[in-house]
Amino acid sequence: LELGRETFEDKLALAVRHLDYYRAHNAVASTEPSPAPRVLVDIGTGWYPDLPLSAFVCGTQAVHTFDIERHVKPARLRRLMAYYLDYADRGVLTQHLPGAQPERIEQLRAVHDSRADTAEALLDPLGIHYHVHGAETSGLPDACVDLVASTVVLEYLPWNLMVAVLRESRRALEPGGVMRHEIDLADQIHYRDD
């Protein structure tokens, strides 16, 4: 679960794929230069909330990220934030994350340097809402989300739960909004058996 530069760059590339897909397929966004979704739902936060932070840095106003287990810990979150800040300070963040906004980096820096001691206290000031429960009961209003995304999550859900998550996502998605789910069809058990 250690986060190194190569893994960080891989996570940025995944986030960029989600954001680029949104830009290419959202009717409103495609007419604007480098738009970010206004509201993003991320299904399956994981150990590092890279898509929520990438979206924030690119201008997303609100992110709702859902996970059934509390994997995000303050130390891991600060480590992830430190990578964004380091890449920005070295002038290379926009090479990996086009659309990164300098004022958002400074907001991220202020939160990173704060005394916040929980994941929520670190994420809430950025408009990132960390929900530790299933996305099938999001509690979000109808038609309020621009982009619903997941990375290597749906293939782990039982059929009935996957259908419930997709129905809830569709309900919360605004007209013209985008849903993008990246699925890994590789034999992941084999990776663990080596």
Side-chain angles (χ1 to χ4, degrees), residues 54-144:
S54 292
F56 165 77
V57 166
C58 290
T60 295
Q61 295 171 18
V63 177
H64 295 274
T65 184
F66 293 86
D67 214 335
I68 59 170
E69 298 287 333
R70 182 177 292 280
H71 294 298
V72 178
K73 305 292 184 201
R76 280 196 287 263
L77 183 51
R78 275 202 163 84
R79 182 167 175 77
L80 177 62
M81 290 176 165
Y83 271 105
Y84 283 92
L85 297 173
D86 175 59
Y87 275 52
D89 291 345
R90 293 188 298 116
V92 297
L93 183 61
T94 56
Q95 294 171 19
H96 297 278
L97 187 62
Q101 299 175 4
E103 64 276 7
R104 291 296 183 106
I105 292 297
E106 292 314 309
Q107 286 179 267
L108 184 65
R109 187 181 313 280
V111 170
H112 174 269
D113 295 345
S114 75
R115 293 181 178 261
D117 61 353
T118 66
E120 289 83 357
L122 287 162
L123 294 171
D124 284 349
L126 305 175
I128 300 172
H129 311 286
Y130 182 39
H131 305 276
V132 184
H133 63 81
E136 73 278 10
T137 55
S138 73
L140 297 173
D142 291 349
C144 69

Side-chain angles (χ1 to χ4, degrees), residues 32 34 38 61 70 72 127 153 168:
E32 300 172 11
S34 297
R38 188 179 41 81
Q61 295 171 18
R70 182 177 292 280
V72 178
V153 171
E168 176 66 3

Side-chain angles (χ1 to χ4, degrees), residues 1 6 8 18 33 53 63 75-76 81-82 120 139 157 176 178 181:
L1 301 178
E6 184 177 336
F8 175 67
H18 285 302
L53 283 177
V63 177
R76 280 196 287 263
M81 290 176 165
E120 289 83 357
L157 301 181
V178 175
H181 302 282

Side-chain angles (χ1 to χ4, degrees), residues 154-166:
L154 295 185
E155 63 268 34
Y156 292 103
L157 301 181
W159 177 259
N160 292 351
L161 182 55
M162 181 180 65
V163 169
V165 166
L166 293 174

